[in-house]
C-alpha cells in the first residue's frame, strides 16, 4: 500500500488546493491562472521572471535544486523530502514502495503432492478405470464404420501443390514485366587516352591548322569531341566548362534512346534462297551451238518446224521463206513471197503437210512438198476437194486459190485480210487457223477453217491491242494476249473463262505447256511470267533473266524445258517441270544461257523454237541466221 | 630426275631385252633417239626411224613423267614402254570438186562413188576424173553403196530423200548406167543403206523409223506394189526408173529416224537412230537382239570386225566406242574427244584394229588411234565447211566429203608393223 503523495505544506500560510481536478493542465496554458482554490478564487500562476543566468546561478548555489520539482497543479516549486526521494529511488529500482514489505516470506505447503502413508480416503480404484470403455468402443466402431463407408477420410490427402512457386516461371518475355529482363547494358565508355590527359605529350596537341580544321568540322564528324589542352600542373586545370551541356546531352540521349529492343532474327541468308537442283542434274537441255542455218539476207522473224522434226521453215524480212533440213542445215527450198514474213506456222497435224505464213495482208497456205510424198499428195487432194457452198456467205476475209504459177511454187491458198496480219497459229488438229490483224477494231482476231474455207470473227468487242493468240492443245480454249492481260475464252460456251494479269507492261509472246495448264508470257519489259492456270490468275513466277525485251518464248513438247529469246542476243533455256500432283508447284530452274546471235539494229533473237522430239532449240536472229543449240 | 628402268621390245626393230634407265623428263624424241642409237649399234645399215611409244596400251603424248603422273604409274618400278614405228601422216592426193554438197562416199580399189545433194550419184576414178554421173532421183541422194564389181559391169545403189533406193547397173566398158530396180516402200527419206557380206541383200534405214531389207540381186520381174492404184503421172516416173521392188522384210522398233545402218555380221544388222539407241537385229527372224542406249542422237555408226567394236558419232563432240556383245546394254568403252562439233561420220580402218577416222561439223576430219583417246593422231583440216561423210578403203585411202562441195582423198601408208599387228 502506497502512502498517498500528499503535498506537504512548505509553509503554513499557503494551503493552496487546486480544484480543477484531473485534467490536462495544458488547458490553462494560455490563462494567467492555473485553477481555482477551495473558495473558488483563481489561483494565479506564480510569477516566473528568472532568466537563464538566474536559473544557472540558482542551480549552482541552491543545494536542494536537484530535489525541487514544480507542482503542475499550482505551478509552485516543491522541495521533496528525504522519504519522498527514497520512495522515488525505490520505484526507479523496481522495488516495492513500502519499505517494510517482504516479497520473500517462507511459503506454507497446504496441498502437498507427496503421497502420505495415511491417505485421506482409502477407496479402491474403480473397475471402470481398468476395463475398456464401452462408450469409447461405440465411438470407435462408429468411426470405423464411417471410414469403411467412406463418410470420413481417415487421413486427409496431402496437398501436393507447393506452398511456394516460381512466380516468373511461365512469364511471357514479351509482356510488360518480361521487358525488364531484356536489360540493355550501356555501351562501355572508352578509356581515356593520352589526349584526355591534362598534360598530354606534344604529339597529341593540335597544331593551328588542325585546330582550325577541327573547328570547321561538323560536331558529329569530329574525331575528338574536345581539343587536347596542356596545363602545367593539375592545380591549373580549370573547372570543366561543358559539364552542364554534357549532362543535358546525356539526358537527351536517354530520352531519345530506343526503348524497343530490336529482335534480330538469326537467319543464314543462304537458307532463304530456295533450294534448286543443279542444272547438270536436269539434263538433257541444249548447251552448245551446233549448226548455223545461213542464207537469209535480212532478219529472220519467224520459225516453225515440221511435226516430224526433219524440216525447219523460216520467214524473213528479205521476202523469202526457206525450208531447211534440220540435221545438216541445208536449205532445201526457197520460196519468194514478195513481202515481209511476219509469222509462220507448220500444221501440227502429222498427216497434213501445210505451212501457214503471214505476208502483209495475206495469209498464205503453202504445201512445202517435203517429207512423205503420200502425205503432201493427200494434203493437196484435201484442199482440192473443197466444194464451194451454193450461197455465198459474208466473210471478213476473202479466200482465193493460188494461180497456176504459184501452185507450182507450192502456194495453195490465199486468205486476203483487210489489214496487215501479225500472227498465224494452228489449232492442234490442224483444221482451224487463227490470225491476228494489226488493227484497233473488233476484227483483230479471226478464226479460219481450212477445209470449209470459212472465216469468222469470234469477238464482238475489242478489248485492246491483241498481241498474240493461241489455241489450247487439248481443251477448247483460246488464249488472247493483249498488252497487259491474257484472256482465256471457252470456244464451246463462247464465254470468257479467265483473265490473267501478267504484271507486265507489254506482252510480246506467249506459249502454252503441252499439258495445257501452264502458260508462259514474254514481255517487252524483259520479264517472263509463268502462269499456273489452276493456281491463280497472277503469275506463279516472274523471271527477269534477260537484259532486254523478250521477243519469243517456247515450250518443249516432251522435255520439261522452255526457252526465251531476247533482244540482248541470248536465248535462256529453263527447266520447267510440271508435276501431275496438284499439290506440287512447278519447278523452274534456269539452266543455260545460249549466246551466238549478233545484235543488229538493236535486235537480237527474234524467235525461238524447240525441236519436236530432241532437246534442241532453234533461234532466229536479226543477223539473218538461224542457230541450232543442242 | 627419277630413275625409270624400261624394258623395250618390238617385233621388227628388236633390241635386247634389258632394262634401261631413262630420264623422267624425256619426251618422245629423246626416247626415239635412244632406240635408234641402240639399233644402229646392233646393225650397221640401220636408217633413222621415228617411233611412237606406248605405256600400258596408251600412247605417250607428253613428257614421260607427266604421263606417268596422270596414269598413276610409280616411277620406282620397271615400266614397260612399247614402241612402234611412228605412223606417217596421211598424204593428200586428190581434191574432187562436185556441184553440190556431198552426202555420202564409198570407194573401192578403182572407183569412188559419191552421193550428192544435186540429186545425182557420181562415179570417179581414183585420179579424180569424173567417170559417170547417175541422175534419176528426184531428190537429194543421201547414201550410196557398191553392191558388186566386175571388170565389165558393176552394181550400185543410191538412196535418196525421194523415199526410194535405186539399184543401178553400170557397164564399165560402155560407160552406160541403167536403173534396174526402184525399191519402194519407205515413207520417209532414205537416210542410209548397207550391203551385206554376200552381196545379195541390202538394208536401208529411213526417216519413217523403219529398217527394210531388200534383195540386191537384179531380176527381170517386177514386184507388185500394194498401192498400185497410184496416179498415172507417178507411174510414168517409175517406168523410167526400172522395175519396182518391194522389201523382203521390215524391221520396226526405232521410235525416231534411223540415221545409220550396217551389217555387223552375216545375219546381224546394227542400226543407229535419232531415238538415242543403237539396235542390233537378227535378220533371219527379224527380231531385236539388243539395244545400246546413249543419251544423244546418233549420226553414224561403224563396226570393226578386227576389234569387234562399234564406233558411234553423235550430236555432241564425242566418238564413243561400244562393245555390241556386252550384256548390260549400254556400256561405253571409250570416248574419243577432240572435235568441237557434231560428229557426222565415223569409219573404222578395215586393216588396223585400233584406228578410225571421223568427220565432224567443225570442218575437220580426224584420224584416231584408240590407244590415244585424248588427242587424235592427225587432224585433216582441209574442208572449209561441214564434213558430212568419210570413208576408208582397204587400200589405205581416206576420203571425206562435205558441204564445201569437195571430196578430199588422202593416201595413208599403213606401215608393215601395223599390218602385222
Amino acid at each position: 500500500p502506497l502512502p498517498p503523495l500528499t503535498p506537504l505544506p512548505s509553509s503554513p500560510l499557503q494551503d493552496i488546493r487546486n480544484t480543477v481536478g484531473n485534467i490536462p493542465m495544458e488547458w490553462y496554458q494560455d490563462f494567467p491562472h492555473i485553477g481555482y482554490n477551495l473558495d473558488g478564487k483563481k489561483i494565479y500562476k506564480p510569477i516566473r521572471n528568472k532568466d537563464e543566468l538566474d536559473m544557472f546561478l540558482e542551480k549552482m548555489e541552491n543545494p536542494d535544486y536537484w530535489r525541487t520539482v514544480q507542482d503542475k497543479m499550482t505551478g509552485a516549486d516543491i522541495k521533496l523530502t528525504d522519504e519522498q526521494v527514497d520512495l522515488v529511488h525505490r520505484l526507479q529500482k523496481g522495488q516495492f514502495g513500502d519499505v517494510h514489505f517482504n516479497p520473500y516470506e517462507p511459503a506454507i505447503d497446504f496441498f502437498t503432492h507427496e503421497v502420505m502413508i495415511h491417505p485421506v480416503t482409502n477407496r479402491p480404484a474403480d473397475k471402470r478405470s481398468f476395463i475398456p470403455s464401452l462408450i469409447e468402443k461405440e465411438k470407435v466402431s462408429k468411426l470405423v464404420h464411417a471410414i469403411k463407408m467412406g463418410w470420413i477420410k481417415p487421413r486427409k490427402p496431402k496437398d501436393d501443390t507447393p506452398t511456394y512457386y516460381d512466380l516468373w516461371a511461365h512469364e511471357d518475355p514479351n509482356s510488360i514485366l518480361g521487358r525488364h529482363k531484356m536489360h540493355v547494358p550501356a555501351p562501355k565508355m572508352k578509356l581515356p587516352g593520352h589526349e584526355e590527359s591534362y598534360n598530354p605529350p606534344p604529339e597529341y596537341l593540335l597544331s593551328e591548322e588542325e585546330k582550325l580544321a577541327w573547328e570547321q568540322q561538323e560536331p558529329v564528324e569530329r574525331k575528338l569531341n574536345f581539343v587536347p589542352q596542356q596545363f602545367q600542373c593539375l592545380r591549373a586545370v580549370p573547372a570543366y566548362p561543358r559539364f552542364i551541356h554534357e549532362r543535358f546531352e546525356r539526358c537527351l540521349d536517354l530520352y531519345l534512346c530506343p526503348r524497343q529492343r530490336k529482335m534480330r532474327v538469326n537467319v543464314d541468308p543462304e537458307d532463304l534462297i530456295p533450294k534448286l537442283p543443279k542444272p547438270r542434274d536436269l539434263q538433257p537441255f541444249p548447251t552448245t551451238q551446233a549448226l548455223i542455218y545461213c542464207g537469209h539476207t535480212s532478219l529472220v522473224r519467224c520459225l516453225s518446224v515440221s511435226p516430224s522434226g526433219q524440216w525447219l521453215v523460216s520467214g524473213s524480212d528479205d521476202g523469202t521463206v526457206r525450208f531447211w533440213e534440220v540435221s545438216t542445215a541445208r536449205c532445201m527450198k526457197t520460196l519468194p513471197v514478195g513481202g515481209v514474213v511476219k509469222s509462220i506456222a507448220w500444221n501440227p497435224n502429222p498427216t497434213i503437210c501445210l505451212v501457214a505464213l503471214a505476208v502483209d495482208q495475206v495469209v498464205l497456205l503453202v504445201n512445202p512438198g517435203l517429207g512423205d510424198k503420200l502425205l503432201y499428195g493427200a494434203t493437196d487432194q484435201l484442199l482440192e476437194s473443197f466444194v464451194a457452198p451454193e450461197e455465198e456467205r459474208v466473210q471478213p476475209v476473202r479466200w482465193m486459190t493460188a494461180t497456176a504459177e504459184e501452185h507450182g511454187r507450192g502456194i495453195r491458198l490465199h486468205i486476203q485480210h483487210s489489214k496487215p496480219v501479225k500472227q498465224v497459229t494452228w489449232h492442234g488438229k490442224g483444221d482451224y487457223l487463227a490470225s491476228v490483224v494489226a488493227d484497233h477494231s473488233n476484227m483483230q482476231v479471226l478464226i479460219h477453217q481450212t477445209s470449209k474455207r470459212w472465216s469468222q470473227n469470234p469477238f464482238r468487242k475489242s478489248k485492246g491491242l491483241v498481241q498474240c493468240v493461241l489455241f489450247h492443245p487439248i481443251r477448247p480454249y483460246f488464249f488472247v494476249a493483249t498488252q497487259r492481260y491474257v484472256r482465256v475464252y471457252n470456244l464451246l460456251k463462247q464465254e470468257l473463262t479467265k483473265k490473267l494479269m501478267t504484271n507486265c507492261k507489254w506482252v510480246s509472246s506467249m506459249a502454252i505447256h503441252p499439258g495445257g495448264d501452264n502458260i508462259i508470257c514474254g514481255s517487252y519489259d524483259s520479264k517472263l511470267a509463268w502462269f499456273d492456270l489452276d493456281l491463280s490468275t497472277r503469275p506463279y513466277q516472274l523471271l527477269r533473266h534477260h537484259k532486254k525485251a523478250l521477243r519469243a518464248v517456247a515450250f518443249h513438247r516432251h522435255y520439261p524445258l522452255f526457252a526465251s529469246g531476247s533482244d540482248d542476243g541470248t536465248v535462256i533455256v529453263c527447266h520447267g517441270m510440271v508435276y501431275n500432283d496438284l499439290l506440287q508447284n512447278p519447278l523452274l530452274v534456269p539452266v543455260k544461257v545460249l549466246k551466238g546471235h549478233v545484235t543488229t539494229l538493236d535486235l537480237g533473237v527474234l524467235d525461238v523454237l524447240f525441236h519436236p522430239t530432241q532437246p534442241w532449240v532453234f533461234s532466229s536472229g536479226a543477223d539473218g541466221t538461224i542457230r541450232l543449240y543442242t | 630426275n627419277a630413275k625409270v628402268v624400261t624394258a623395250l621390245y618390238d617385233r621388227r626393230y628388236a633390241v635386247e631385252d634389258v632394262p634401261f634407265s631413262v630420264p623422267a623428263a624425256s619426251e618422245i624424241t629423246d626416247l626415239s633417239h635412244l632406240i635408234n642409237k641402240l639399233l644402229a649399234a646392233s646393225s650397221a645399215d640401220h636408217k633413222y626411224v621415228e617411233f611412237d611409244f606406248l605405256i600400258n596400251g596408251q600412247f605417250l603424248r607428253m613428257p614421260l613423267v607427266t604421263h606417268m603422273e596422270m596414269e598413276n604409274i610409280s616411277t620406282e618400278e620397271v615400266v614397260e614402254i612399247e614402241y612402234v614405228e611412228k605412223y606417217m601422216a596421211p598424204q593428200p592426193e586428190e581434191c574432187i570438186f562436185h556441184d553440190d554438197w556431198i552426202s555420202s562416199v564409198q570407194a573401192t580399189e578403182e572407183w569412188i562413188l559419191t552421193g550428192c545433194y544435186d540429186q545425182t550419184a557420181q562415179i570417179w576414178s581414183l585420179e579424180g576424173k569424173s567417170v559417170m554421173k547417175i541422175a534419176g532421183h528426184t531428190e537429194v541422194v543421201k547414201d550410196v553403196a557398191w553392191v558388186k564389181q566386175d571388170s565389165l559391169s558393176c552394181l550400185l545403189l543410191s538412196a535418196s530423200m525421194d523415199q526410194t533406193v535405186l539399184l543401178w547397173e553400170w557397164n564399165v566398158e560402155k560407160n552406160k548406167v541403167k536403173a534396174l530396180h526402184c525399191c519402194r516402200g519407205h515413207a520417209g527419206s532414205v537416210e542410209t543403206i548397207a550391203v551385206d557380206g554376200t552381196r545379195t541383200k541390202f538394208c536401208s534405214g529411213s526417216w519413217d523409223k523403219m529398217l527394210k531389207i531388200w534383195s540386191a540381186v537384179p531380176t527381170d520381174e517386177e514386184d507388185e506394189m500394194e498401192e498400185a492404184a497410184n496416179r498415172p503421172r507417178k507411174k510414168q516416173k517409175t517406168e523410167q526408173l526400172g522395175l519396182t521392188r518391194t522389201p523382203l522384210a521390215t524391221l520396226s522398233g526405232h521410235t525416231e529416224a534411223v540415221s545409220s545402218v550396217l551389217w555387223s555380221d552375216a545375219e546381224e544388222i546394227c542400226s543407229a537412230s535419232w531415238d538415242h539407241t543403237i539396235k542390233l537385229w537378227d535378220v533371219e527372224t527379224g527380231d531385236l537382239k539388243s539395244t545400246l542406249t546413249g543419251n544423244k542422237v546418233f549420226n553414224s555408226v561403224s563396226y570393226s570386225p578386227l576389234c569387234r567394236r562399234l564406233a558411234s558419232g553423235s550430236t555432241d563432240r564425242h566418238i564413243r566406242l561400244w562393245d555390241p556383245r556386252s550384256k548390260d546394254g549400254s556400256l561405253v568403252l571409250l570416248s574419243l574427244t577432240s572435235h568441237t562439233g557434231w560428229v557426222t561420220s565415223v569409219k573404222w580402218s578395215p586393216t588396223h584394229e585400233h584406228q578410225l577416222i571421223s568427220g565432224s561439223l567443225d570442218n575437220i576430219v580426224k584420224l584416231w588411234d584408240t590407244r590415244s583417246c585424248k588427242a587424235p593422231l592427225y587432224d585433216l583440216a582441209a574442208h572449209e565447211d561441214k564434213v558430212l561423210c568419210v570413208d576408208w578403203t582397204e587400200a589405205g585411202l581416206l576420203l571425206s566429203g562435205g558441204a564445201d562441195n569437195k571430196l578430199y582423198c588422202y593416201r595413208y601408208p599403213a606401215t608393215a608393223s601395223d599390218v602385222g599387228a
Side-chain angles (χ1 to χ4, degrees), chain A residues 290 310 325 330 371-373 613-614 630, chain B residues 100 142 163 189 207 256 274 276 297 342:
Chain A
Q310 195 180 8
E325 191 185 18
R330 163 87 183 187
D372 195 350
K373 274 181 189 164
T613 54
Q614 304 297 336
T630 60
Chain B
D100 211 333
K142 292 291 279 193
Q163 308 172 13
S189 75
W207 250 95
E256 290 284 337
W274 278 43
H276 306 182
V297 165
W342 290 4

PDB file of all heavy atoms in Angstrom, chain A residues 290 310 325 330 371-373 613-614 630, chain B residues 100 142 163 189 207 256 274 276 297 342:
ATOM      1  N   ALA A 290      25.261 -25.895-132.359  1.00  0.00           N
ATOM      2  CA  ALA A 290      25.688 -26.989-133.214  1.00  0.00           C
ATOM      3  C   ALA A 290      25.693 -26.587-134.677  1.00  0.00           C
ATOM      4  O   ALA A 290      26.635 -26.890-135.396  1.00  0.00           O
ATOM      5  CB  ALA A 290      24.776 -28.186-133.017  1.00  0.00           C
ATOM      6  N   GLN A 310      12.024 -33.128-139.124  1.00  0.00           N
ATOM      7  CA  GLN A 310      13.031 -33.233-140.189  1.00  0.00           C
ATOM      8  C   GLN A 310      13.257 -31.898-140.879  1.00  0.00           C
ATOM      9  O   GLN A 310      14.351 -31.635-141.342  1.00  0.00           O
ATOM     10  CB  GLN A 310      12.595 -34.296-141.200  1.00  0.00           C
ATOM     11  CG  GLN A 310      13.706 -34.726-142.126  1.00  0.00           C
ATOM     12  CD  GLN A 310      13.255 -35.776-143.115  1.00  0.00           C
ATOM     13  OE1 GLN A 310      12.068 -36.093-143.204  1.00  0.00           O
ATOM     14  NE2 GLN A 310      14.196 -36.317-143.857  1.00  0.00           N
ATOM     15  N   GLU A 325      16.817 -28.500-144.060  1.00  0.00           N
ATOM     16  CA  GLU A 325      16.949 -29.821-143.460  1.00  0.00           C
ATOM     17  C   GLU A 325      17.600 -29.616-142.095  1.00  0.00           C
ATOM     18  O   GLU A 325      18.683 -29.037-141.984  1.00  0.00           O
ATOM     19  CB  GLU A 325      17.826 -30.728-144.329  1.00  0.00           C
ATOM     20  CG  GLU A 325      17.778 -32.157-143.892  1.00  0.00           C
ATOM     21  CD  GLU A 325      18.743 -33.038-144.687  1.00  0.00           C
ATOM     22  OE1 GLU A 325      19.673 -32.517-145.325  1.00  0.00           O
ATOM     23  OE2 GLU A 325      18.559 -34.251-144.646  1.00  0.00           O
ATOM     24  N   ARG A 330      20.954 -27.651-144.415  1.00  0.00           N
ATOM     25  CA  ARG A 330      20.879 -27.473-145.859  1.00  0.00           C
ATOM     26  C   ARG A 330      19.561 -26.778-146.207  1.00  0.00           C
ATOM     27  O   ARG A 330      18.502 -27.191-145.727  1.00  0.00           O
ATOM     28  CB  ARG A 330      20.933 -28.848-146.519  1.00  0.00           C
ATOM     29  CG  ARG A 330      20.478 -28.912-147.927  1.00  0.00           C
ATOM     30  CD  ARG A 330      21.593 -28.600-148.881  1.00  0.00           C
ATOM     31  NE  ARG A 330      21.103 -28.609-150.253  1.00  0.00           N
ATOM     32  CZ  ARG A 330      21.898 -28.500-151.301  1.00  0.00           C
ATOM     33  NH1 ARG A 330      23.189 -28.378-151.128  1.00  0.00           N
ATOM     34  NH2 ARG A 330      21.411 -28.505-152.507  1.00  0.00           N
ATOM     35  N   GLY A 371       9.037 -34.238-147.220  1.00  0.00           N
ATOM     36  CA  GLY A 371       8.577 -35.360-146.420  1.00  0.00           C
ATOM     37  C   GLY A 371       7.917 -36.405-147.282  1.00  0.00           C
ATOM     38  O   GLY A 371       8.257 -36.572-148.452  1.00  0.00           O
ATOM     39  N   ASP A 372       6.953 -37.084-146.690  1.00  0.00           N
ATOM     40  CA  ASP A 372       6.334 -38.208-147.375  1.00  0.00           C
ATOM     41  C   ASP A 372       5.528 -37.714-148.567  1.00  0.00           C
ATOM     42  O   ASP A 372       4.704 -36.819-148.462  1.00  0.00           O
ATOM     43  CB  ASP A 372       5.427 -38.946-146.381  1.00  0.00           C
ATOM     44  CG  ASP A 372       5.041 -40.303-146.912  1.00  0.00           C
ATOM     45  OD1 ASP A 372       5.310 -40.565-148.100  1.00  0.00           O
ATOM     46  OD2 ASP A 372       4.490 -41.081-146.130  1.00  0.00           O
ATOM     47  N   LYS A 373       5.772 -38.344-149.718  1.00  0.00           N
ATOM     48  CA  LYS A 373       5.055 -37.952-150.932  1.00  0.00           C
ATOM     49  C   LYS A 373       3.566 -38.172-150.775  1.00  0.00           C
ATOM     50  O   LYS A 373       2.754 -37.361-151.219  1.00  0.00           O
ATOM     51  CB  LYS A 373       5.549 -38.813-152.095  1.00  0.00           C
ATOM     52  CG  LYS A 373       6.753 -38.282-152.773  1.00  0.00           C
ATOM     53  CD  LYS A 373       7.103 -39.210-153.900  1.00  0.00           C
ATOM     54  CE  LYS A 373       8.440 -38.840-154.487  1.00  0.00           C
ATOM     55  NZ  LYS A 373       8.969 -39.915-155.308  1.00  0.00           N
ATOM     56  N   THR A 613      11.144 -33.442-131.114  1.00  0.00           N
ATOM     57  CA  THR A 613      11.477 -34.680-130.412  1.00  0.00           C
ATOM     58  C   THR A 613      12.777 -34.594-129.627  1.00  0.00           C
ATOM     59  O   THR A 613      12.907 -35.252-128.610  1.00  0.00           O
ATOM     60  CB  THR A 613      11.597 -35.854-131.410  1.00  0.00           C
ATOM     61  OG1 THR A 613      12.525 -35.472-132.414  1.00  0.00           O
ATOM     62  CG2 THR A 613      10.266 -36.184-132.011  1.00  0.00           C
ATOM     63  N   GLN A 614      13.725 -33.817-130.074  1.00  0.00           N
ATOM     64  CA  GLN A 614      15.018 -33.773-129.403  1.00  0.00           C
ATOM     65  C   GLN A 614      15.095 -32.556-128.487  1.00  0.00           C
ATOM     66  O   GLN A 614      14.383 -31.583-128.692  1.00  0.00           O
ATOM     67  CB  GLN A 614      16.153 -33.695-130.433  1.00  0.00           C
ATOM     68  CG  GLN A 614      16.145 -34.819-131.447  1.00  0.00           C
ATOM     69  CD  GLN A 614      16.363 -36.169-130.808  1.00  0.00           C
ATOM     70  OE1 GLN A 614      16.938 -36.279-129.729  1.00  0.00           O
ATOM     71  NE2 GLN A 614      15.862 -37.212-131.461  1.00  0.00           N
ATOM     72  N   THR A 630      22.298 -27.598-129.243  1.00  0.00           N
ATOM     73  CA  THR A 630      21.999 -28.958-128.774  1.00  0.00           C
ATOM     74  C   THR A 630      22.767 -29.234-127.491  1.00  0.00           C
ATOM     75  O   THR A 630      23.737 -28.574-127.185  1.00  0.00           O
ATOM     76  CB  THR A 630      22.408 -29.999-129.800  1.00  0.00           C
ATOM     77  OG1 THR A 630      23.787 -29.883-130.008  1.00  0.00           O
ATOM     78  CG2 THR A 630      21.661 -29.800-131.079  1.00  0.00           C
TER      79      THR A 630
ATOM     80  N   ASP B 100      27.618 -29.814-155.794  1.00  0.00           N
ATOM     81  CA  ASP B 100      26.800 -29.538-154.616  1.00  0.00           C
ATOM     82  C   ASP B 100      27.382 -30.318-153.438  1.00  0.00           C
ATOM     83  O   ASP B 100      28.413 -30.975-153.574  1.00  0.00           O
ATOM     84  CB  ASP B 100      25.338 -29.941-154.883  1.00  0.00           C
ATOM     85  CG  ASP B 100      24.375 -29.051-154.110  1.00  0.00           C
ATOM     86  OD1 ASP B 100      24.784 -28.529-153.051  1.00  0.00           O
ATOM     87  OD2 ASP B 100      23.231 -28.879-154.568  1.00  0.00           O
ATOM     88  N   LYS B 142      21.061 -39.378-150.523  1.00  0.00           N
ATOM     89  CA  LYS B 142      21.573 -39.355-149.153  1.00  0.00           C
ATOM     90  C   LYS B 142      22.644 -40.408-148.901  1.00  0.00           C
ATOM     91  O   LYS B 142      23.466 -40.255-148.032  1.00  0.00           O
ATOM     92  CB  LYS B 142      20.428 -39.575-148.157  1.00  0.00           C
ATOM     93  CG  LYS B 142      19.441 -38.461-148.100  1.00  0.00           C
ATOM     94  CD  LYS B 142      20.014 -37.204-147.480  1.00  0.00           C
ATOM     95  CE  LYS B 142      19.997 -37.273-145.987  1.00  0.00           C
ATOM     96  NZ  LYS B 142      20.268 -35.958-145.394  1.00  0.00           N
ATOM     97  N   GLN B 163      12.432 -41.137-151.092  1.00  0.00           N
ATOM     98  CA  GLN B 163      11.888 -42.323-150.453  1.00  0.00           C
ATOM     99  C   GLN B 163      12.177 -43.603-151.227  1.00  0.00           C
ATOM    100  O   GLN B 163      11.572 -44.642-150.956  1.00  0.00           O
ATOM    101  CB  GLN B 163      10.378 -42.201-150.218  1.00  0.00           C
ATOM    102  CG  GLN B 163      10.014 -40.928-149.485  1.00  0.00           C
ATOM    103  CD  GLN B 163       8.538 -40.708-149.415  1.00  0.00           C
ATOM    104  OE1 GLN B 163       7.770 -41.612-149.694  1.00  0.00           O
ATOM    105  NE2 GLN B 163       8.132 -39.534-149.041  1.00  0.00           N
ATOM    106  N   SER B 189      12.406 -40.060-146.134  1.00  0.00           N
ATOM    107  CA  SER B 189      13.631 -40.063-146.910  1.00  0.00           C
ATOM    108  C   SER B 189      14.532 -41.185-146.422  1.00  0.00           C
ATOM    109  O   SER B 189      14.654 -41.427-145.228  1.00  0.00           O
ATOM    110  CB  SER B 189      14.331 -38.713-146.778  1.00  0.00           C
ATOM    111  OG  SER B 189      14.943 -38.618-145.527  1.00  0.00           O
ATOM    112  N   TRP B 207      13.781 -42.119-142.522  1.00  0.00           N
ATOM    113  CA  TRP B 207      13.176 -41.181-141.570  1.00  0.00           C
ATOM    114  C   TRP B 207      11.841 -41.688-141.054  1.00  0.00           C
ATOM    115  O   TRP B 207      11.310 -41.156-140.091  1.00  0.00           O
ATOM    116  CB  TRP B 207      12.976 -39.819-142.238  1.00  0.00           C
ATOM    117  CG  TRP B 207      13.898 -38.815-141.684  1.00  0.00           C
ATOM    118  CD1 TRP B 207      15.104 -38.458-142.173  1.00  0.00           C
ATOM    119  CD2 TRP B 207      13.704 -38.051-140.491  1.00  0.00           C
ATOM    120  NE1 TRP B 207      15.679 -37.532-141.368  1.00  0.00           N
ATOM    121  CE2 TRP B 207      14.835 -37.246-140.323  1.00  0.00           C
ATOM    122  CE3 TRP B 207      12.684 -37.965-139.543  1.00  0.00           C
ATOM    123  CZ2 TRP B 207      14.990 -36.377-139.254  1.00  0.00           C
ATOM    124  CZ3 TRP B 207      12.826 -37.103-138.479  1.00  0.00           C
ATOM    125  CH2 TRP B 207      13.974 -36.316-138.335  1.00  0.00           C
ATOM    126  N   GLU B 256      12.468 -43.129-133.606  1.00  0.00           N
ATOM    127  CA  GLU B 256      12.833 -41.926-134.351  1.00  0.00           C
ATOM    128  C   GLU B 256      13.523 -42.369-135.632  1.00  0.00           C
ATOM    129  O   GLU B 256      13.670 -43.561-135.889  1.00  0.00           O
ATOM    130  CB  GLU B 256      13.792 -41.047-133.531  1.00  0.00           C
ATOM    131  CG  GLU B 256      13.155 -40.388-132.341  1.00  0.00           C
ATOM    132  CD  GLU B 256      12.279 -39.211-132.713  1.00  0.00           C
ATOM    133  OE1 GLU B 256      12.490 -38.639-133.794  1.00  0.00           O
ATOM    134  OE2 GLU B 256      11.374 -38.885-131.945  1.00  0.00           O
ATOM    135  N   TRP B 274      17.930 -41.687-134.240  1.00  0.00           N
ATOM    136  CA  TRP B 274      17.749 -40.424-133.525  1.00  0.00           C
ATOM    137  C   TRP B 274      17.076 -40.634-132.173  1.00  0.00           C
ATOM    138  O   TRP B 274      16.968 -39.695-131.399  1.00  0.00           O
ATOM    139  CB  TRP B 274      16.899 -39.464-134.369  1.00  0.00           C
ATOM    140  CG  TRP B 274      17.673 -38.721-135.408  1.00  0.00           C
ATOM    141  CD1 TRP B 274      18.624 -39.228-136.217  1.00  0.00           C
ATOM    142  CD2 TRP B 274      17.561 -37.333-135.718  1.00  0.00           C
ATOM    143  NE1 TRP B 274      19.123 -38.252-137.025  1.00  0.00           N
ATOM    144  CE2 TRP B 274      18.476 -37.068-136.753  1.00  0.00           C
ATOM    145  CE3 TRP B 274      16.779 -36.292-135.250  1.00  0.00           C
ATOM    146  CZ2 TRP B 274      18.627 -35.800-137.309  1.00  0.00           C
ATOM    147  CZ3 TRP B 274      16.923 -35.031-135.802  1.00  0.00           C
ATOM    148  CH2 TRP B 274      17.849 -34.790-136.821  1.00  0.00           C
ATOM    149  N   HIS B 276      18.263 -42.125-129.811  1.00  0.00           N
ATOM    150  CA  HIS B 276      19.352 -42.299-128.842  1.00  0.00           C
ATOM    151  C   HIS B 276      19.714 -43.770-128.619  1.00  0.00           C
ATOM    152  O   HIS B 276      20.265 -44.108-127.591  1.00  0.00           O
ATOM    153  CB  HIS B 276      19.033 -41.671-127.482  1.00  0.00           C
ATOM    154  CG  HIS B 276      18.641 -40.239-127.544  1.00  0.00           C
ATOM    155  ND1 HIS B 276      18.363 -39.510-126.442  1.00  0.00           N
ATOM    156  CD2 HIS B 276      18.500 -39.396-128.591  1.00  0.00           C
ATOM    157  CE1 HIS B 276      18.034 -38.271-126.799  1.00  0.00           C
ATOM    158  NE2 HIS B 276      18.112 -38.191-128.096  1.00  0.00           N
ATOM    159  N   VAL B 297      21.536 -38.082-129.900  1.00  0.00           N
ATOM    160  CA  VAL B 297      21.154 -38.590-131.214  1.00  0.00           C
ATOM    161  C   VAL B 297      22.396 -39.165-131.896  1.00  0.00           C
ATOM    162  O   VAL B 297      23.456 -38.568-131.872  1.00  0.00           O
ATOM    163  CB  VAL B 297      20.569 -37.440-132.045  1.00  0.00           C
ATOM    164  CG1 VAL B 297      20.483 -37.801-133.495  1.00  0.00           C
ATOM    165  CG2 VAL B 297      19.229 -37.034-131.501  1.00  0.00           C
ATOM    166  N   TRP B 342      29.333 -31.568-133.906  1.00  0.00           N
ATOM    167  CA  TRP B 342      28.739 -32.898-134.029  1.00  0.00           C
ATOM    168  C   TRP B 342      29.662 -33.789-134.857  1.00  0.00           C
ATOM    169  O   TRP B 342      30.248 -33.344-135.842  1.00  0.00           O
ATOM    170  CB  TRP B 342      27.426 -32.835-134.787  1.00  0.00           C
ATOM    171  CG  TRP B 342      26.289 -32.191-134.090  1.00  0.00           C
ATOM    172  CD1 TRP B 342      26.322 -31.596-132.881  1.00  0.00           C
ATOM    173  CD2 TRP B 342      24.965 -32.077-134.596  1.00  0.00           C
ATOM    174  NE1 TRP B 342      25.074 -31.117-132.590  1.00  0.00           N
ATOM    175  CE2 TRP B 342      24.219 -31.397-133.613  1.00  0.00           C
ATOM    176  CE3 TRP B 342      24.323 -32.486-135.761  1.00  0.00           C
ATOM    177  CZ2 TRP B 342      22.871 -31.120-133.785  1.00  0.00           C
ATOM    178  CZ3 TRP B 342      22.990 -32.211-135.929  1.00  0.00           C
ATOM    179  CH2 TRP B 342      22.263 -31.539-134.951  1.00  0.00           C
TER     180      TRP B 342
END
